[in-house]
Amino acid sequence: MKENWTDIMKGEWMIEFHAPWCPACKDLQKAWNAFADWSDDLGIKVGEVDVTVNPGLSGRFLVTALPTIYHVKDGVFRQYSGARDKNDFISFVEDKKYRVIDPVPDYKHPNSKQMAVVAVFFKLSMAVRDLHNHLVEDKGIPSWASYGLFAGVTLALGCVLGFFIVIIIDQVFPTGPRKNQQSKKAEKKDTKKDSGTESPTKKNGNNNNAKETKKTK
């Protein structure tokens, strides 16, 4: 479902997010499978997402608790919060009870740009966790050393990023001696312009003085 998740934008769906280590998800699985058997009769599609395999999707849907269930109809997303039994699921769809639930707002819509960014962060966090498990379980590195390594890398990246941000800000909004130099240069340019352009009054005065000198001669 990772590659073709946008298929749920069409038609009516019920989607469950779960994880293998989640006890509540395991308790729900029997009722969910029984509900899925009714999908053809109800005219809907029933799907499920393993968040350990598809962390990006859990990010798009901002899944913070498991299991999480969404109802989707023609691109409108609503989070299901009712009882978790086969008959309750059937009644929810058949009686259109989803109409009383507020849809997910636009800024949280799974297909929005901002949620695509959140999906990237979810993927990154999962990658970091997998790397930590690999270092501890496969390489035998102590947990404290793994955490220390990640902390050091995070600080280093933060320093580098902060350095570049300071450079950019200094280029766009200069301060201190550099700003004074730019101000002086601008003043010099203005002074040159003023000295190179005489006012009409001054020119007339010079012309009158020249005429009076000629008359005197």
Side-chain angles (χ1 to χ4, degrees):
M1 191 173 177
K2 180 180 178 181
E3 291 77 14
N4 62 344
W5 79 269
T6 52
D7 289 349
I8 66 176
M9 300 288 287
K10 299 177 182 179
E12 188 172 4
W13 289 72
M14 287 284 282
I15 308 294
E16 178 215 1
F17 289 84
H18 64 90
W21 46 262
C22 170
C25 300
K26 294 177 181 178
D27 294 339
L28 174 63
Q29 201 60 43
K30 183 177 179 180
W32 189 257
N33 291 337
F35 167 61
D37 293 337
W38 281 76
S39 60
D40 290 337
D41 296 329
L42 295 170
I44 68 168
K45 295 180 180 179
V46 178
E48 56 185 69
V49 178
D50 185 342
V51 297
T52 62
V53 178
N54 299 301
L57 281 182
S58 63
R60 280 187 179 275
F61 285 81
L62 206 61
V63 175
T64 57
L66 296 173
T68 294
I69 299 172
Y70 274 92
H71 172 269
V72 190
K73 185 172 177 62
D74 298 327
V76 179
F77 294 79
R78 293 178 172 89
Q79 187 169 347
Y80 176 85
S81 58
R84 297 175 179 180
D85 184 75
K86 180 193 76 172
N87 293 330
D88 295 304
F89 293 141
I90 293 173
S91 175
F92 180 79
V93 175
E94 204 168 37
D95 298 336
K96 295 180 171 45
K97 293 181 179 179
Y98 53 82
R99 291 178 175 176
V100 300
I101 301 175
D102 292 332
V104 172
D106 291 339
Y107 71 92
K108 283 186 178 181
H109 196 282
N111 203 31
S112 63
K113 292 181 179 179
Q114 53 268 29
M115 296 313 295
V117 175
V118 175
V120 173
F121 280 105
F122 269 63
K123 288 180 181 179
L124 181 60
S125 65
M126 186 63 71
V128 170
R129 192 192 72 172
D130 291 341
L131 179 58
H132 169 73
N133 291 337
H134 172 70
L135 293 175
V136 173
E137 296 174 4
D138 298 336
K139 300 298 183 180
I141 297 177
S143 296
W144 63 265
S146 176
Y147 289 130
L149 174 63
F150 286 121
V153 172
T154 301
L155 288 174
L157 290 176
C159 291
V160 172
L161 181 61
F163 175 73
F164 282 111
I165 290 175
V166 170
I167 291 177
I168 293 171
I169 292 175
D170 187 57
Q171 293 294 325
V172 177
F173 305 105
T175 57
R178 187 180 167 198
K179 185 177 181 180
N180 294 333
Q181 289 177 0
Q182 290 182 352
S183 299
K184 288 179 180 179
K185 288 181 180 179
E187 290 176 0
K188 287 180 180 180
K189 288 182 180 179
D190 293 338
T191 304
K192 288 180 180 179
K193 288 180 181 179
D194 293 339
S195 61
T197 305
E198 292 182 351
S199 65
T201 305
K202 189 175 181 181
K203 284 185 177 180
N204 292 334
N206 292 337
N207 291 335
N208 292 334
N209 291 335
K211 288 179 181 179
E212 290 176 0
T213 303
K214 287 180 180 180
K215 288 179 179 180
T216 304
K217 290 180 179 180

